[in-house]
Amino acid sequence: MADLIFYTNPQSRGRIVRWMLEEVGVPYETEIIPYDQMKSERYLAVNPMGKVPAIKHGDHIVTEGAAICAYLADIFPQAGLGPRAGEKPDYYRWLFYAAGPVEAAVSNQAMGWVPPPERERMFGYGTFDRVVSVLDELFSLREYVCGDRFTAADVYVGSQIMFPLQFGMLPERESFTRYRDRLQARDAYRRATEIDERIIEEMGLRPPQPVQPQPA
């Protein structure tokens, strides 16, 4: 059994962690958890929430996409994906901003749950439009979360922008599409996408479709 086990489903947020694992470049074993088995006793022993992704590293289990990305960057420093001293403020600020306000705002907006103005302060993100504006300003001023260098924070923050863009849940601001194109051009992103698309086909979840090549 491998020292690092990745629990996922190819049609889930597990794709974020697959990308991170490919960026780290260490051997890992994948265990696919079908949706009808996520609440099984066996998998609940891994993640009591009954959700993917999760990883088991030695005797330790880590859940939550942002936490897994940060953990892998920390535990495998040779990959160079963790923050340097001067990058830590931006790295942690935006990583947790994406895991909290961004995901909540996008999910609530998609469900039509819009807080009335007098209740905005009850929500960590305020309003959806405010979240979009904050992200737009960030990536209008820099190429990556920490400036001009790709880090693990970009795996998670980038995913919280790319996936909503794909499904029309975020407006296509120029800063977002430029950021998306930079990330999707990465070799690790392409490898991760090809792996998950192949698993989807093997599971018969949809007719086989070629992975669309990304612009060079």
Side-chain angles (χ1 to χ4, degrees), residues 11-59:
Q11 293 180 314
S12 75
R13 290 174 176 83
R15 294 178 78 118
I16 301 171
V17 173
R18 171 83 71 187
W19 175 19
M20 182 65 190
L21 286 164
E22 291 299 314
E23 291 282 356
V24 169
V26 298
Y28 63 94
E29 177 182 324
T30 300
E31 186 165 330
I32 302 299
I33 310 296
Y35 277 102
D36 62 2
Q37 295 179 25
M38 287 188 188
K39 300 299 190 291
S40 67
E41 183 176 345
R42 178 178 176 277
Y43 186 64
L44 288 175
V46 175
N47 184 356
M49 289 290 291
K51 295 184 177 182
V52 293
I55 63 168
K56 184 176 182 181
H57 184 220
D59 295 327

Side-chain angles (χ1 to χ4, degrees), residues 44-97:
L44 288 175
V46 175
N47 184 356
M49 289 290 291
K51 295 184 177 182
V52 293
I55 63 168
K56 184 176 182 181
H57 184 220
D59 295 327
H60 301 287
I61 290 173
V62 186
T63 67
E64 314 314 313
I68 296 171
C69 289
Y71 176 82
L72 291 172
D74 186 53
I75 210 73
F76 298 110
Q78 67 272 19
L81 296 170
R84 297 168 181 166
E87 296 171 337
K88 288 184 178 181
D90 284 337
Y91 179 91
Y92 289 110
R93 174 188 178 183
W94 296 110
L95 179 64
F96 289 105
Y97 182 72

Side-chain angles (χ1 to χ4, degrees), residues 114-172:
V114 179
E118 67 275 12
R119 296 291 185 91
E120 288 175 6
R121 65 182 182 179
M122 295 179 61
F123 293 79
Y125 59 86
T127 68
F128 174 78
D129 289 341
R130 189 172 304 157
V131 167
V132 171
S133 295
V134 167
L135 289 174
D136 188 17
E137 180 180 20
L138 176 68
F139 292 110
S140 294
L141 298 173
R142 60 182 70 180
E143 292 192 350
Y144 298 105
V145 168
C146 293
D148 59 1
R149 190 177 79 89
F150 178 89
T151 67
D154 291 291
V155 174
Y156 191 80
V157 176
S159 295
Q160 294 298 337
I161 291 176
M162 290 190 295
F163 294 165
L165 279 177
Q166 180 182 354
F167 295 105
M169 297 162 66
L170 271 182
E172 287 206 5

